């Protein structure tokens, strides 16, 4: 029997970090600036600090589970191993919403931004072009994706650094006195609950750290490097977001803009004029490209794990190309699905992503408690804090975020979950039928 091809273990720690940052997209600070600023009533720095602290506990839970089960599959694998395959499949099915629609969002954003830059070229041309490019790169291999992601993530970080330098320069040019504690000062009309509501929205700026767990089998020493990469990713993102919001609030304590959707572009022009505004648009296109690149890599690995375990048709979803050692069928399928960006709205995509991500986050936090605290009985003082208190805090905040989802998000998410439930019941029925047929065949052979 010929050896079946396996995923190629070639990713270093920092290549994984850049893939995660590419999925997260540091430029999301600007694309979500308007809604983040308004929802936190201008207390952006405090809201980002609270959001980081809140997401830290869930990121820590992912790191603990990646250490316990250093294989691909992310939440699907963890829940399957710790709870049972049925619940694991449903969680994996739900997280497909997050990963699949992230690919569609990348296509949509790419088309929207380039059409705005080149109005004579229809957005669907850009969407189709990006879709083809992402498909080819992901077929060639994960290391190619990681190297490209590294370049474009560095460009994003360089832009954010330039932005902060210009803000600081404008601050020095300002004759008025500067209060270093100003960004933390709450006005009489602002309550802590208001800032917390803003932080709950800002938490979505940190989504993406979990995506790298789907690449564990392509990572060198995943038991050590995946947990490290998770903490590096959220730490880098936290520093970038916090420092940018802090300097911006110091220099411009009161900002007003007419359209929250274009507030990031407005702020870029305010700080650096039209030149920085033009650079902003270019870097944003790079950011969307790398986000799409990482999203396709993540979802195709999840589909591969589901195919390998026969939760999806194994012959197609569990197939790896013998030369590239990549899940080619999954890459092509995801590329076709991503063309929904030609027809679906951005708002609908975001609702699917939110439901899928938060559901997976909730179950991963609970799986830490079940695996370490209950099954392995790690109940020292350190164990209680690490394996009970920390994941409970993470689960509690994620549950709070779930309650903030609107009715459309819940309806669409639950409808997808119901579809997955029906499919999983079909798989169970088919498995029982095959077992019965095999038993009958064995009985017939015995009688003969």
């Amino acid at each position: 029997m010929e050896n079946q091809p396996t995923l190629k273990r070639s990713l270093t720690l920092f290549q994984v970090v850049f893939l995660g940052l590419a999925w997260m997209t540091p430029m999301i600070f600007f694309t979500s600036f308007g809604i983040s600023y308004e929802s936190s009533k201008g207390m952006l720095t405090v809201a980002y600090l609270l959001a980081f602290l809140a997401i830290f506990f869930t990121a820590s839970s992912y790191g603990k589970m990646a250490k316990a089960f250093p294989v691909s599959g992310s939440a699907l694998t963890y829940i399957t191993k710790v709870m049972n395959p049925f619940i694991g499949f449903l969680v994996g099915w739900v997280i497909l919403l997050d990963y699949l629609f992230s690919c569609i969002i990348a296509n949509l954003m790419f088309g929207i931004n380039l059409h705005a830059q080149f109005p004579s070229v229809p957005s669907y041309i850009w969407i189709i072009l990006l879709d083809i490019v992402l498909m080819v790169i992901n077929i060639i291999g994960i290391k190619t994706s990681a190297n490209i992601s590294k370049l474009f993530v560095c460009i994003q970080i360089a832009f954010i650094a330039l932005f902060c330098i210009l803000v600081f320069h404008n601050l020095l040019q300002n004759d008025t006195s500067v209060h270093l504690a100003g960004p933390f000062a709450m006005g009489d009309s602002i309550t802590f609950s208001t800032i917390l509501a803003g932080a709950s929205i800002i938490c979505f700026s940190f989504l993406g750290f979990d995506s790298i767990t789907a690449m564990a089998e392509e990572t060198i020493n995943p038991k050590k490097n995946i947990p490290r990469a998770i903490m590096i990713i959220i730490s880098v993102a936290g520093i970038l977001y916090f420092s940018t919001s802090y300097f911006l609030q110091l220099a411009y304590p009161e900002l007003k803009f007419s359209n929250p959707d274009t507030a990031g572009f407005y702020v870029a022009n305010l700080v650096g004029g039209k030149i920085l505004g033009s650079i902003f648009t270019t870097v944003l296109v790079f950011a969307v490209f790398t986000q799409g690149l990482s999203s396709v890599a993540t979802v195709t690995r999840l589909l591969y794990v589901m195919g390998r375990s026969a939760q999806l048709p194994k012959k197609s979803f569990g197939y790896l190309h013998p030369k590239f050692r990549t899940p080619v069928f999954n890459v092509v399928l995801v590329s076709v699905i991503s063309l929904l960006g030609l027809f679906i709205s951005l708002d609908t995509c975001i609702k699917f992503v939110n439901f899928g991500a938060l559901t997976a986050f909730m179950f991963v936090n609970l799986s830490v408690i079940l695996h370490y605290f209950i099954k392995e009985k790690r109940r020292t003082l350190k164990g209680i804090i690490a394996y009970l208190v920390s994941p409970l805090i993470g689960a509690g905040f994620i549950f709070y975020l779930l309650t903030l989802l609107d009715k459309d998000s819940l309806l669409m998410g639950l409808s997808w979950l119901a579809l997955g439930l029906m499919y999983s019941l079909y798989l169970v029925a088919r498995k029982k039928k095959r077992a019965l047929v095999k038993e009958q065949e064995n009985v017939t052979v015995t009688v003969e």
Side-chain angles (χ1 to χ4, degrees):
M1 181 181 292
E2 294 183 3
N3 292 329
Q4 294 295 319
T6 58
L7 293 169
K8 187 176 182 181
R9 197 178 294 279
S10 60
L11 296 176
T12 64
L13 169 63
F14 286 103
Q15 285 177 324
V16 174
V17 167
F18 281 111
L19 278 170
L21 286 172
W23 204 105
M24 184 179 287
T25 315
M27 287 293 287
I28 198 173
F29 175 88
F30 297 98
T31 57
S32 63
F33 179 82
I35 188 171
S36 299
Y37 191 87
E38 290 190 344
S39 62
S40 62
K41 302 300 181 183
M43 298 296 296
L44 203 58
T45 304
V46 179
Y48 265 111
L49 181 60
L50 290 174
F52 171 80
L53 292 175
I55 212 70
F56 173 85
F57 294 100
T58 295
S60 178
S61 290
Y62 266 90
K64 293 180 179 80
M65 295 310 295
K67 187 176 182 179
F69 305 104
V71 293
S72 297
S74 191
L76 164 68
T77 297
Y78 308 151
I79 308 306
T80 298
K81 298 282 188 181
V82 175
M83 297 183 182
N84 63 62
F86 180 74
I87 298 176
F89 170 79
L90 291 180
V91 172
W93 181 265
V94 170
I95 205 173
L96 276 175
L97 284 176
D98 178 9
Y99 293 166
L100 278 172
F101 279 87
S102 293
C103 300
I104 299 172
I105 288 174
N107 277 0
L108 264 171
M109 291 297 295
F110 193 82
I112 290 170
N113 282 285
L114 279 175
H115 176 63
Q117 193 82 344
F118 306 100
S120 60
V121 182
S123 59
Y124 71 84
I125 297 294
W126 297 115
I127 290 175
I128 294 173
L129 179 62
L130 175 67
D131 201 56
I132 294 172
V133 172
L134 294 182
M135 180 179 67
V136 171
I137 293 175
N138 273 283
I139 286 175
I140 293 173
I142 191 73
K143 195 164 186 178
T144 302
S145 300
N147 291 333
I148 294 174
S149 296
K150 178 180 178 180
L151 172 63
F152 288 159
V153 166
C154 287
I155 291 174
Q156 293 179 63
I157 293 175
F159 174 84
I160 294 173
L162 174 63
F163 180 86
C164 289
I165 290 171
L166 290 175
V167 170
F168 190 70
H169 176 266
N170 293 346
L171 185 63
L172 294 177
Q173 297 297 315
N174 196 337
D175 294 332
T176 59
S177 59
V178 177
H179 301 285
L180 296 179
F184 302 99
M186 293 171 54
D188 296 334
S189 60
I190 300 175
T191 63
F192 185 74
S193 60
T194 300
I195 301 175
L196 190 60
S200 68
I201 293 176
I202 287 172
C203 273
F204 295 118
S205 299
F206 290 92
L207 296 186
F209 67 86
D210 59 305
S211 65
I212 63 170
T213 57
M215 305 168 196
E217 291 177 37
E218 294 164 280
T219 303
I220 299 169
N221 194 2
K223 194 171 184 177
K224 182 179 180 181
N225 285 334
I226 293 294
R228 281 184 176 181
I230 288 173
M231 302 315 295
I232 292 173
I233 288 166
I234 66 165
S235 298
V236 169
I239 292 170
L240 289 174
Y241 299 154
F242 180 80
S243 57
T244 307
S245 61
Y246 178 75
F247 286 126
L248 193 58
Q249 280 194 270
L250 276 181
Y252 307 96
E254 294 185 9
L255 285 171
K256 292 182 180 180
F257 36 82
S258 57
N259 186 358
D261 293 339
T262 58
F265 181 73
Y266 165 78
V267 169
N269 279 274
L270 176 67
V271 171
K274 291 183 178 180
I275 295 177
L276 189 65
S278 299
I279 297 174
F280 167 81
T281 303
T282 303
V283 175
L284 186 60
V285 169
F286 288 150
V288 172
F289 175 81
T290 50
Q291 194 270 331
L293 198 62
S294 185
S295 296
V296 173
T298 300
V299 70
T300 53
R301 271 60 184 178
L302 178 60
L303 288 170
Y304 168 71
V305 171
M306 296 178 79
R308 185 175 60 183
S309 60
Q311 293 175 328
L312 292 173
K314 188 173 184 178
K315 189 174 181 180
S316 49
F317 289 93
Y319 169 78
L320 290 178
H321 191 279
K323 178 181 178 181
F324 299 120
R325 292 163 70 178
T326 54
V328 174
F329 174 84
N330 298 340
V331 173
V332 174
L333 177 64
V334 169
S335 298
V336 172
I337 294 174
S338 297
L339 290 176
L340 284 173
L342 297 169
F343 314 104
I344 200 169
S345 71
L346 186 61
D347 181 62
T348 301
C349 292
I350 292 174
K351 289 175 179 177
F352 273 119
V353 167
N354 292 346
F355 182 87
L358 293 179
T359 302
F361 286 3
M362 171 70 78
F363 275 91
V364 170
N365 278 304
L366 296 177
S367 69
V368 170
I369 300 173
L370 185 58
H371 178 69
Y372 286 101
F373 190 75
I374 296 178
K375 289 186 176 181
E376 295 195 351
K377 298 182 180 180
R378 299 194 185 185
R379 297 171 185 174
T380 62
L381 178 60
K382 182 179 178 181
I384 291 173
I385 294 172
Y387 306 124
L388 180 63
V389 176
S390 176
L392 273 179
I393 294 174
F397 194 81
I398 296 303
F399 180 76
Y400 169 69
L401 293 181
L402 278 168
T403 64
L404 296 178
L405 294 180
D406 59 27
K407 292 181 179 179
D408 289 340
S409 298
L410 293 173
L411 181 61
M412 290 188 295
L414 291 173
S415 297
W416 175 259
L417 181 60
L419 185 62
L421 179 61
M422 288 188 289
Y423 179 70
S424 64
L425 292 175
Y426 161 74
L427 289 178
V428 171
R430 189 178 68 171
K431 186 177 181 180
K432 287 182 178 180
K433 184 178 179 180
R434 286 181 175 178
L436 181 61
V437 170
K438 188 174 182 179
E439 183 180 346
Q440 290 174 344
E441 290 175 348
N442 290 337
V443 170
T444 303
V445 172
T446 303
V447 171
E448 290 177 353

